[in-house]
Amino acid sequence: MQQKIVSTRDLAFQLYELHEVEKVLRFERYQDHSRETLQAALDLALKVAAEEFAPHARLVDEEEPTFENGRVHMRPEVHKALDVLKSTGLMAASQDYERGGMQLPSAVAQMCVGMLKGANVGTQGYAGLTIAAANLILAHGSDEQKSRYAEPMLAGRFFGTMCLTEPHAGSSLGDLRTRAEPQADGSYRLFGNKIYISGGDHELSENIIHMVLARLPGAPAGVKGISLFLVPKVLVNEDGSLGGRNDVALAGLIHKMGYRGTTSTMLNFGEAAGAVGYLVGAPHEGLAAMFHMMNEARIGVGLGSVMLGYTGYLHALEYARERQQGRPVGEKDPESPQVPLIRHADIRRMLLAQKAYVEGGLALCLQGAVLVDEKKFAETGEQRELAAGLLDLLTPVIKSWPSRYCLEANSLAIQVHGGYGYTREYPVEQFYRDNRLNPIHEGTHGIQGIDLLGRKVSMADGRYYRELVRRIEATIAEARKQERLASNAGLLERSLSAMVEATRVINEVKASGDKEKALANATLYLDAFGQVVVGWLWLRQALKALAGLGGAGEQTEDFYQGKLRACDYFCRYELPGVVATAELLQSVDSTALDMFDEAF
């Protein structure tokens, strides 16, 4: 529990007992690894997180980057921490050995990143964006773009961004106006404005590589007319040396409620002759290519939400154990000693809710990471295709469920601290502010809900949705055989059945042509769907805990009992709400849709 970033006991349980990560070592890519090498990487990441990232997390919040005389100024500790990150090889932990990476399994690499996020999400943001942008180039760029831009990014010499949002369009990417004009030499000149560009300007690296969405002349309207361009801050010569400054200007910094350590910028492309850019992939297919980075970023948002919630939970747990306040109910003697906060039932309720949210959220993110490896390396094409479909289905859930419930964990951490939690003397208020961005960026709950209900549950004629339901049903059947878990299995079964019926009814309304009505409550659907998925993961954790109590595990009896009680909490306190929500969804209620502007 070093630096109160994550419980190392829970992390070991989830990786090695719940998700059985050692099984991926059968894939040829990972055959050089053993549990010892995986654990060494995790230990290194925790050490870097605790010693290099956590100590300046408050500093970069209090002294956020400034824009003076055309330059961005920030705390020097950010540069130092990122230099250490690069020197350890953790910058690109999942990448090939040949590209300077550790070639770690996805779940382990994700947790290396996750611990950095929990320690200092602002500083980690620069590295996270860079690797996601590099992966985008590796997936869709030319060989020249890979060598000239992606390789220096993986090495940490260049950093990266994604440039989507424009002032007039927000999340409506089909309305973007940035244009790209073809040049005789095969390059393009870009003209336009982008906002909310995280890491859009700084002096932490030799160069910044912007991945920019723009339109070619004569492009179709809407999202079908968007292309993707690579636009460097500093031009790069054929031999890899740096040339002159590109026509990309920092128009200003955006000052946020949280996440203050990462610069949030407004960028102008083409104030003079135009920003030199290079087409990535095919014309008019830029949004599909950008989804490679966006989906990676969405999974990263979910993990960041979990880790901010997790560190808040551990801080609240420590405070509740140490803070002496009040006396047990029924104790009438005012001179009797006060007791630790954790002795009070309502405090334990709030801590138990936090535990259920953050450990459930971690299980969800690691489930996605396991699917990433199965998608790439499973033995048969059918297994790889099924893993890819399940990952697509779960991506909006991985992004949004932690963004809601791990944010609620941060709110509860403040509540456990009482009045002190609302002050800046304790870090839990910063964790809340930092986490409050996660329900918004990389697609709001509303966008993720429409993606899930409008597309994902129906893709491949519902094949992946049905497979997920089958897996949940299999876990329910297994848990019913255990007297300790039979009641919880019944609660999950009832919630699943209600959601399956809601999905059937809504799909019928969609098929009838009334898509607007069908999707009017997509956010509620997303929330209930996520609760069922996390309930499934909690039931799986409980099954492993019972096995652990039977001698098949590595943790203590208290640890496994804690897992069982957290499963009880989630099934008894959280899942009943799914049934009520599903009943509303089954009615295809149009209250919100029918409300009109003038009536507010």
Side-chain angles (χ1 to χ4, degrees), residues 164-175:
L164 290 76
T165 308
E166 298 184 3
H168 64 282
S171 299
S172 181
L173 296 179
D175 294 314

Side-chain angles (χ1 to χ4, degrees), residues 125-165:
Y126 298 102
L129 284 164
T130 298
I131 298 305
N135 286 338
L136 174 56
I137 298 169
L138 293 175
H140 296 280
S142 65
D143 289 342
E144 179 184 2
Q145 290 169 346
K146 293 174 187 178
S147 62
R148 191 180 297 191
Y149 301 102
E151 301 284 357
M153 293 166 76
L154 295 173
R157 288 181 48 224
F158 297 175
F159 280 11
T161 76
M162 57 192 303
C163 300
L164 290 76
T165 308

Side-chain angles (χ1 to χ4, degrees), residues 570-587:
F570 196 88
C571 292
R572 297 171 186 175
Y573 284 68
E574 299 289 335
L575 287 181
V578 172
V579 177
T581 300
E583 290 174 353
L584 178 64
L585 292 167
Q586 289 167 27
S587 72

Side-chain angles (χ1 to χ4, degrees), residues 492-506:
L492 180 57
E493 183 176 46
R494 185 182 176 203
S495 299
L496 176 64
S497 297
M499 280 302 299
V500 167
E501 177 62 14
T503 304
R504 184 192 67 79
V505 171
I506 294 170

Side-chain angles (χ1 to χ4, degrees), residues 117-311:
K117 287 176 180 283
N120 187 333
V121 72
T123 294
Q124 192 282 329
Y126 298 102
L129 284 164
T130 298
I131 298 305
N135 286 338
L136 174 56
I137 298 169
L138 293 175
H140 296 280
S142 65
D143 289 342
E144 179 184 2
Q145 290 169 346
K146 293 174 187 178
S147 62
R148 191 180 297 191
Y149 301 102
E151 301 284 357
M153 293 166 76
L154 295 173
R157 288 181 48 224
F158 297 175
F159 280 11
T161 76
M162 57 192 303
C163 300
L164 290 76
T165 308
E166 298 184 3
H168 64 282
S171 299
S172 181
L173 296 179
D175 294 314
L176 68 82
R177 297 173 185 164
T178 298
R179 70 184 195 277
E181 298 180 356
Q183 304 297 301
D185 63 358
S187 67
Y188 296 80
R189 296 294 183 274
L190 274 72
F191 300 87
N193 312 104
K194 299 288 184 176
I195 62 170
Y196 297 123
I197 309 306
S198 296
D201 206 338
H202 52 72
E203 296 184 357
L204 298 170
S205 59
E206 299 174 29
N207 205 351
I208 302 175
I209 308 304
H210 303 291
M211 307 306 296
V212 186
L213 294 182
R215 294 187 183 281
L216 292 167
V223 296
K224 295 182 179 180
I226 297 174
S227 299
L228 175 62
F229 297 87
L230 185 159
V231 183
K233 174 182 176 180
V234 180
L235 298 174
V236 181
N237 299 319
E238 289 186 10
D239 63 358
S241 63
L242 297 182
R245 176 69 186 262
N246 203 358
D247 190 7
V248 182
L250 175 62
L253 298 180
I254 298 169
H255 302 285
K256 299 172 296 189
M257 170 182 171
Y259 243 96
R260 293 174 175 172
T262 305
T263 55
S264 183
T265 65
M266 298 175 282
L267 298 179
N268 293 339
F269 293 85
E271 289 186 346
V276 178
Y278 306 94
L279 183 67
V280 178
H284 314 317
E285 296 181 8
L287 188 57
M290 183 62 94
F291 265 110
H292 186 284
M293 184 173 182
M294 290 169 65
N295 283 333
E296 183 173 337
R298 286 172 174 175
I299 293 172
V301 166
L303 181 60
S305 299
V306 168
M307 298 310 296
L308 285 167
Y310 213 130
T311 189

